[in-house]
């Protein structure tokens, strides 16, 4: 029987596989694809240091690469197995939609790619599949996969683009600020040195920095996503930190220098992730869009010319109401086949 992308999406969404805890999805895909006749290669991806990243896991995590025996692919379909937390429970559905974590970002995409690969293989195309871990955090899986490319000429990466081909995607710069001070009783602030005050002053100046705008692509945006510090209202805090994510529309070097200068003397600055803005070419017959988000594409440069396409809306990804229209899943199967045929001739 042909692969049913709707049913496969439901099976994947039922699995809890938030970043650093992707093994259930990897195990499922390894078994499922092996049953379809693929040769499976697992690529172990190390867990981060728990001391530096308390959200890290302790269990195994691995990429899944699947190809037919002895085949060097011309084209690879790829997406990510991890989802943002929290897990929202088993997949729910009504007549038109599937609901749950990963329905559009990106388990529904994985299901449509597997169904499309089946059709392409029947048509004689040399196709493989690559599903990675860690996209939602640091692209660790993609970076590791980039060290072992398989000779493909093209890679089609799947993210929610409303079934439109992306002409560009923003890059990202992740910044971690850490301030240090001296703890004291809050009744005697002159005896202490507030790390929170230093952090807030640095953040104020960083938020005031001018951010670049590129016509036709959009503006660079900044989000202060995490702030931590202090132990109690009556204690002068000796430690504080903030994590910032900047969506890039150009080179990061000038902005990095400005952030470092704004924080000087107040905070340590670490740039923990830097992914560049990407431009991709149009293909006749496809609706197009500009992706304001970042993908694994900058970390998969050795896998061929990149394209970005997938069902679902990024506007509901990472939300409690994540969902995808069933008809959009079915439509994207045909779009993947159409794109691959356009590229391979």
């Amino acid at each position: 029987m042909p692969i049913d992308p709707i049913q496969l999406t439901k099976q994947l969404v039922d699995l809890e596989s938030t970043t650093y805890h992707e093994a259930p999805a990897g195990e499922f895909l390894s078994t499922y694809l092996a049953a379809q006749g693929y040769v499976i290669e697992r690529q172990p991806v190390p867990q981060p240091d728990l001391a530096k990243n308390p959200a890290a896991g302790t269990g195994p995590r691995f990429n899944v690469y699947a190809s037919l025996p002895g085949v060097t692919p011309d084209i690879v379909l790829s997406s990510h197995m991890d989802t943002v937390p929290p897990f929202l429970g088993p997949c729910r559905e009504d007549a038109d939609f599937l609901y749950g974590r990963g329905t559009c970002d990106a388990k529904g995409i994985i299901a449509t790619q597997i169904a499309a690969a089946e059709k392409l293989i029947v048509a004689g195309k040399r196709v493989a599949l690559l599903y990675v871990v860690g996209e939602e955090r640091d692209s660790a899986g993609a970076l590791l996969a980039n060290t072992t490319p398989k000779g493909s000429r093209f890679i089609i990466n799947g993210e929610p683009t409303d079934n439109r081909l992306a002409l560009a995607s923003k890059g990202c710069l992740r910044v971690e600020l850490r301030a240090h001070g001296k703890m004291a009783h809050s009744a005697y602030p002159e005896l202490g040195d507030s790390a929170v005050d230093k952090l807030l002053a640095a953040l104020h100046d960083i938020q005031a920095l001018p951010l670049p705008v590129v016509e036709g692509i959009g503006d660079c945006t900044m989000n202060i996503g995490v702030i931590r510090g202090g132990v109690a209202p009556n204690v002068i805090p000796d430690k504080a930190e903030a994590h910032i994510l900047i969506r890039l529309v150009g080179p990061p070097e000038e902005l990095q220098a400005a952030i470092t200068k704004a924080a000087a003397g107040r905070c340590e600055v670490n740039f923990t992730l830097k992914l560049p803005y990407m431009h991709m070419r149009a293909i006749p017959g496809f609706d197009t869009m500009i992706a304001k988000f970042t993908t694994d594409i900058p970390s998969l440069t050795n896998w061929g010319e990149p394209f970005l396409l997938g069902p679902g809306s990024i506007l509901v990804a990472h939300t409690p109401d994540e969902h995808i229209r069933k008809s959009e899943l079915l439509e994207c199967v045909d779009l993947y086949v159409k794109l691959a045929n356009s590229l391979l001739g």
Side-chain angles (χ1 to χ4, degrees):
M1 294 291 292
I3 291 172
D4 179 354
I6 295 173
Q7 179 60 32
L8 182 53
T9 297
K10 291 192 288 185
Q11 290 175 277
L12 287 165
V13 171
D14 283 347
L15 302 170
E16 183 172 358
S17 59
T18 54
T19 307
Y20 308 129
H21 308 277
E22 301 97 339
E27 294 286 356
F28 174 87
L29 285 170
S30 297
T31 301
Y32 183 90
L33 293 171
Q36 302 297 320
Y38 290 93
V39 175
I40 306 302
E41 178 185 334
R42 298 189 184 197
Q43 303 172 340
V45 178
Q47 290 279 4
D49 185 346
L50 275 169
K52 296 180 179 179
N53 189 338
T58 56
R61 61 198 300 237
F62 51 90
N63 298 332
V64 175
Y65 175 74
S67 65
L68 293 185
V71 169
T72 297
D74 289 317
I75 195 162
V76 171
L77 304 177
S78 179
S79 193
H80 59 95
M81 296 181 285
D82 64 315
T83 68
V84 296
F87 179 57
L88 301 178
C91 187
R92 297 169 289 113
E93 68 177 307
D94 57 28
D96 297 318
F97 292 93
L98 299 178
Y99 302 86
R101 182 65 76 219
T103 47
C104 73
D105 190 16
K107 293 178 176 180
I109 292 169
I110 291 174
T112 62
Q113 290 183 341
I114 293 172
E118 179 187 47
K119 291 188 175 186
L120 289 165
I121 289 169
V122 169
K125 307 299 184 184
R126 294 195 295 268
V127 181
L129 301 166
L130 174 66
Y131 298 119
V132 300
V133 302
E135 189 274 344
E136 296 290 5
R137 183 64 184 176
D138 56 10
S139 290
L143 288 166
L144 186 141
N146 212 35
T147 65
T148 57
K150 306 301 181 183
S152 51
R153 296 158 51 201
F154 306 101
I155 183 167
I156 302 175
N157 189 245
E159 290 286 352
T161 66
D162 296 294
N163 280 349
R164 296 175 292 169
L165 194 63
L167 299 182
S169 63
K170 289 187 179 182
C172 77
L173 181 66
R174 183 172 289 137
V175 189
E176 295 183 1
L177 303 176
R178 289 182 172 83
H180 300 278
K182 180 182 178 183
M183 191 177 292
H185 195 295
S186 65
Y188 302 90
E190 68 278 7
L191 299 180
D193 182 20
S194 174
V196 168
D197 286 350
K198 292 178 180 179
L199 179 66
L200 292 177
L203 289 174
H204 176 271
D205 290 350
I206 289 170
Q207 284 188 299
L209 294 173
L211 300 178
V213 178
V214 175
E215 185 176 355
I217 302 300
D219 56 344
C220 184
T221 60
M222 179 187 301
N223 178 55
I224 301 172
V226 175
I227 295 179
R228 288 192 288 258
V231 294
N234 59 347
V235 178
I236 303 297
D238 64 339
K239 295 178 182 178
E241 66 180 82
H243 299 193
I244 303 171
L245 184 63
I246 300 170
R247 302 288 179 178
L248 298 170
V249 295
E253 287 77 16
E254 186 174 335
L255 188 55
Q256 285 181 262
I259 291 171
T260 301
K261 182 178 180 181
R266 296 180 288 204
C267 296
E268 297 174 1
V269 181
N270 291 299
F271 299 101
T272 57
L273 180 66
K274 182 167 59 175
L275 297 173
Y277 155 83
M278 297 293 296
H279 176 76
M280 292 158 281
R281 67 181 168 106
I283 300 293
F286 287 83
D287 294 333
T288 60
M289 57 89 74
I290 302 296
K292 292 185 177 182
F293 51 88
T294 309
T295 74
D296 273 331
I297 285 176
S299 303
L300 292 170
T301 53
N302 294 327
W303 287 74
E305 182 182 1
F307 294 86
L308 180 62
L309 173 70
S313 170
I314 196 68
L315 301 181
V316 298
H318 301 191
T319 74
D321 190 40
E322 185 174 345
H323 61 272
I324 196 165
R325 188 180 291 274
K326 295 177 183 178
S327 61
E328 202 170 343
L329 290 170
L330 299 176
E331 178 187 12
C332 197
V333 174
D334 294 333
L335 287 174
Y336 281 134
V337 171
K338 178 182 176 181
L339 179 56
N341 285 330
S342 297
L343 297 172
L344 298 176

